[in-house]
Amino acid sequence: MTSPMRPDDAHPYLRAASAGIRHHARTLAPSDADTPKSVDRLHLDVLHAHLTALLQLLDRLADNTRPPYPAAGRHLATAHSRLWQATTEVHASFHLLPGTTEANAGTSSCHPERLPEGPPVLTICQRHLAAGHVVRRKTTPTDLRPRTTACVR
């Protein structure tokens, strides 16, 4: 007979990933003596990889939750759409930062018709295109459009 898991023991890898992100956010926080740390393309590439992994997790959670609990599944699907919007913005930010080499300096956007110059441009663009394909199979353009709660006068 198996004993139920304590909440502290549940999903150890997900908990470790969250702890890693919290640690990274603390190291980026400026202290009084430090100058603000800037973000580079490699940093955004790693963050994009994390966000796309979260997209996969949310997608599976929504699919598994939807049959027994339709309302909860819809909320998870909505969270998936919002996370895709965040992932898209990280990808766009990546292309707005200067490249690390002269060959990458002119890369300001994705060009699916040609291969990017190499890592990290190659990896983030391929990952983003693959994730976008999956997202677009399950959502409509209206679902992906950001909604605001602000009143328009």
Side-chain angles (χ1 to χ4, degrees), residues 37-123:
K37 296 169 183 80
S38 64
V39 177
D40 61 2
R41 283 179 146 198
L42 290 172
H43 188 134
L44 291 182
D45 183 39
V46 172
L47 180 59
H48 188 271
H50 185 78
L51 290 172
T52 54
L54 282 173
L55 277 170
Q56 291 175 346
L57 177 61
L58 268 175
D59 188 37
R60 290 193 180 119
L61 287 171
D63 286 348
N64 293 343
T65 304
R66 197 173 286 123
Y69 306 103
R74 282 192 302 273
H75 281 284
L76 289 172
T78 300
H80 181 267
S81 297
R82 298 295 187 279
L83 186 59
W84 170 247
Q85 292 166 349
T87 305
T88 299
E89 296 303 325
V90 168
H91 180 249
S93 295
F94 173 91
H95 285 292
L96 293 174
L97 290 177
T100 55
T101 65
E102 298 235 356
N104 290 340
T107 307
S108 61
S109 63
C110 254
H111 297 283
E113 70 278 2
R114 63 182 168 87
L115 284 176
E117 289 76 16
V121 178
L122 180 64
T123 55

Side-chain angles (χ1 to χ4, degrees), residues 1-5:
M1 185 166 138
T2 62
S3 62
M5 290 185 92

